[in-house]
Structure formats: C-alpha cells, structure tokens
Amino acid sequence: MMIDDRAHGSPDDHPSGTDPAHDARAADSASPAGGTASAAACRQLMQGGSKTFFAASLLLPAPVRAPATALYAFCRVADDAIDLRDPGEPVDTALARLHHRLHRIYAGCPADHPADQALGPVVRRFGVPMPLLGALLDGFGWDAAGRQYETIESLYDYAARVAGTVGAMMALIMQTRSRDALARACELGVAMQLTNIARDVGEDARAGRLYLPRTWLRDEGIDPDAWLAAPQFNEALGRVVARLLAAADALYQRAEHGIAALPRTCRPAIRAARLVYAEIGREVERGGLDSMSRRAVVARGRKLALITQSLGAALVLPAGRRDDLPPLPAVAYLVDEAARAARPAEQSAGGNFYQRTLRIIELFERVAERNRGSQTVSG
C-alpha cells in the first residue's frame, strides 16, 4: 500500500500546460538516472502511477525530477513484484529476491531492468543508504503478509517503512541533510500514508485487509475481526476514520516546517503534494467519513488550484518556523540512517545566472533567520 493511486484510473491530463516531451528531454539531459531508455521507462511508470506524485513532480527542477522519477519507478516495480507474484510463491521468497536485486544495485551490477539500471546512479550520486530501501521492501512484505496494527504507534511503524522512507530519500535527492528537515520529510510520508488508509477503508476491507488501529475500533464498540468479515459503514467507523485524519493533519502541519528547509526550487513541488494529499482527507470528510461506499477524489480543478497555491512556497516561509521538533519515534531510525549518508560532491561555485541568484537569495535568507534568532534570544 505504498503512496500510489495507480490502480484507480489513468492520470489526469498534463496539468502544467507544458510539453511532456520537452520535460522528458530536459530530465534526460540532467539525469544521473541511467541511460535515456531507462529514464524514459521510469517516466512512463510515474505517469501511469500516482496522479498526485506525477502532477507534483512537474514542479521539480529537472536535476531533481529525473532521480526522483527513478526512485519512484523502483518503488513501484518492487511493490508490484510482491503484490503480483505467482499465487503459490511465499512472500519471503519474493522479498528475498527483491533484497538480492537491491544488493546488486549497490554493488554496481544491477539487474537488467530499467528501474534497477536507473536507480544505481541515483543512490551513488546522492548517497542514499541501502537500509532506507531495505526498510521500504520490508514494509511491502508486511503488506503481503496481511499484517494488522493494534495501535496507532504500530501503524506509524508500518507507514514509516512504506512512505517515511520515500520522504527521507527524496530529501537526500534534494541534497537536504539536516536532521530536522529529514524528520519532517519522513513525517510527511507517514501523513500521506494515513490519508491513503482513511480513503481506502472499503477497498482494503473488500480485499481482506485492515489498517485501522484495532484498539481504536474496539474503543468505538467495533470488533475488528467481525467487522472485517462483514465490513460496513456506520457512525462509529466514521469516528475512527476522523481520528485517523486528525493524526494525518497533525503531521501535515509539522511538515510545513520541513518544506521551508528545502532548496527554494523544490519547495513548490513538495508543498503541492502535501496540499493535494491533505485535500483527499477533506473530501473524505465531505462524504460523511464514509470511505466504504465511495472513494474520495480531488477534482482536477481543485487540484490545479492547490498546485498554483503551492508556488508561493518558493518565496514565503511559514510563520513561526521551528527546527526543534523531535521526530516521530517511528521514523527516528530513518532519520539516523539518512543523516549519516555520505554527502554528494559539492557543486561548483559557478552555474548559470538563475542558480547563482538563488544561492545569493538563500544566503540572505539564512542571515535573516540568524538575525531573527539573535533578536529572540536578546529580547
């Protein structure tokens, strides 16, 4: 149940008004993600997968968009390798094969698959630690094994693996390595996964899966096993869904502090994903919290409005930004792994006028933040 809505219809039309072929050529020209053929295959997986991720990715600068697409492609292929394995194959066998593929990628001899070929240069260039991808694969294994979760804390553990890992790896690709920013990136992934779960209660139940915390169901007088045998919506279930959306919203609010720590050119894309995913929760609420009989979808016009709203993230920092929030315990080990990652080689001091201007603006921004901190201390 990775953050992905590919199974539910084709993606929206290209929302940015730009030419997809031009985007593809730009990504290839700046891509560390393998050859042109591998990069093209990865883009097809992205475009045919998560509509929200695809739309948000168009706001990323090309040097980030290409490796992010390679990362998404491998995650998607790995998820499929577990979910679509032969019916008689044990989960552990399929999982072991994926871990073997991952070791080959890090050994510099990836399997002959476009996603593996594209991911190799990405993990080397950006110093993505193998334990992050290993945790993601383990989360897929939890899914296939039908694991259920007694408490919200155990659900956080699951969401950290299948989505928090993606947040950490995206932060590394954006060359963001502060512990606070990494924690917020992981928590944003967890928030998105909780939104997915709240939206897909009915779909999951019909497939024999239950992600809602079992203790929360019992708090509302619902026996989890009996409900899963004959799932139906009622007000008590709606209160559980509302509680889950509230937990997601708290993490979305924390994520705002991390978005401000990203490179200026990357902020709009990540804020767009944050806004659109949070809006899915609002759609669930507008439907009376009934995610059994309907699947909440953000209308294309509303999605475009939120993406437009996100553009201001490049210029405006959130009020009261905090860098002292402890990470959610479930993601702390991911933060530790990502923070230890080898920093990629520094870019040259040159660059085009636009890049140099951004560096100067960001320097002034850091100075202003230090001054504000000094004034707070002295006041």
Side-chain angles (χ1 to χ4, degrees):
M1 195 172 172
M2 182 184 67
I3 303 175
D4 185 8
D5 50 16
R6 66 184 183 276
H8 309 283
S10 59
D12 294 335
D13 293 335
H14 201 274
S16 68
T18 59
D19 175 10
H22 178 271
D23 272 345
R25 289 190 295 271
D28 276 338
S29 67
S31 173
T36 301
S38 294
C42 291
R43 283 194 302 277
Q44 288 178 348
L45 284 169
M46 168 75 86
Q47 189 168 359
S50 172
K51 293 179 283 188
T52 299
F53 273 20
F54 175 69
S57 74
L58 298 173
L59 300 179
L60 287 169
V64 174
R65 187 188 319 126
T69 302
L71 173 63
Y72 174 89
F74 182 81
C75 295
R76 160 81 184 274
V77 167
D79 197 15
D80 284 348
I82 296 291
D83 285 348
L84 306 179
R85 70 190 187 282
D86 291 338
E89 182 177 44
V91 173
D92 288 347
T93 301
L95 195 58
R97 188 164 56 249
L98 279 175
H99 278 286
H100 179 67
R101 283 174 64 174
L102 188 59
H103 279 276
R104 288 189 58 179
I105 288 170
Y106 277 83
C109 54
D112 186 19
H113 189 288
D116 299 51
Q117 297 284 333
L119 185 61
V122 171
V123 299
R124 288 192 295 275
R125 176 179 173 184
F126 296 100
V128 178
M130 187 164 61
L132 294 182
L133 281 156
L136 176 77
L137 298 184
D138 290 340
F140 294 163
W142 287 16
D143 258 340
R147 183 178 295 210
Q148 296 182 20
Y149 305 94
E150 277 295 315
T151 64
I152 187 61
E153 289 77 19
S154 61
L155 183 60
Y156 285 151
D157 288 338
Y158 161 71
R161 284 164 173 77
V162 297
T165 50
V166 178
M169 291 185 286
M170 284 294 297
L172 293 178
I173 287 172
M174 295 175 196
Q175 302 195 23
T176 299
R177 279 167 166 71
S178 80
R179 295 185 65 88
D180 292 309
L182 289 166
R184 303 294 83 79
C186 291
E187 290 163 358
L188 177 57
V190 171
M192 291 176 169
Q193 191 63 35
L194 297 185
T195 298
N196 266 359
I197 292 168
R199 178 195 60 191
D200 295 340
V201 171
E203 184 177 322
D204 289 333
R206 287 185 285 273
R209 291 180 173 182
L210 175 64
Y211 293 93
L212 298 174
R214 292 170 61 91
T215 55
W216 287 10
L217 290 168
R218 286 193 287 266
D219 288 345
E220 293 292 342
I222 300 172
D223 178 273
D225 298 321
W227 179 85
L228 191 58
Q232 59 181 347
F233 177 76
N234 54 36
E235 290 185 0
L237 183 67
R239 288 191 291 271
V240 175
V241 172
R243 195 172 172 182
L244 190 63
L245 289 174
D249 287 340
L251 293 175
Y252 284 129
Q253 289 301 317
R254 290 166 67 97
E256 291 287 345
H257 302 287
I259 291 171
L262 296 175
R264 183 182 298 274
T265 54
C266 297
R267 293 175 199 164
I270 304 308
R271 191 152 198 270
R274 172 258 187 271
L275 291 175
V276 173
Y277 253 88
E279 188 67 12
I280 294 172
R282 307 292 76 79
E283 286 293 329
V284 172
E285 291 168 347
R286 293 183 192 109
L289 299 166
D290 179 6
S291 47
M292 291 291 302
S293 59
R294 65 185 292 271
R295 188 175 192 271
V297 175
V298 179
R300 185 169 184 266
R302 178 60 177 155
K303 187 180 293 185
L304 289 173
L306 291 170
I307 290 173
T308 301
Q309 178 184 332
S310 74
L311 297 176
L315 301 174
V316 180
L317 293 173
R321 176 182 162 191
R322 293 183 59 184
D323 293 327
D324 60 347
L325 297 170
L328 190 71
V331 306
Y333 79 105
L334 301 177
V335 174
D336 290 342
E337 287 290 348
R340 285 196 293 265
R343 184 173 293 274
E346 294 293 334
Q347 301 296 316
S348 70
N352 60 32
F353 173 79
Y354 175 68
Q355 293 167 331
R356 292 195 302 270
T357 301
L358 281 179
R359 282 198 292 270
I360 292 170
I361 291 172
E362 288 171 351
L363 174 61
F364 278 116
E365 193 174 83
R366 288 196 296 271
V367 171
E369 287 176 359
R370 283 199 297 269
N371 289 341
R372 283 198 300 272
S374 299
Q375 291 166 4
T376 300
V377 172
S378 62

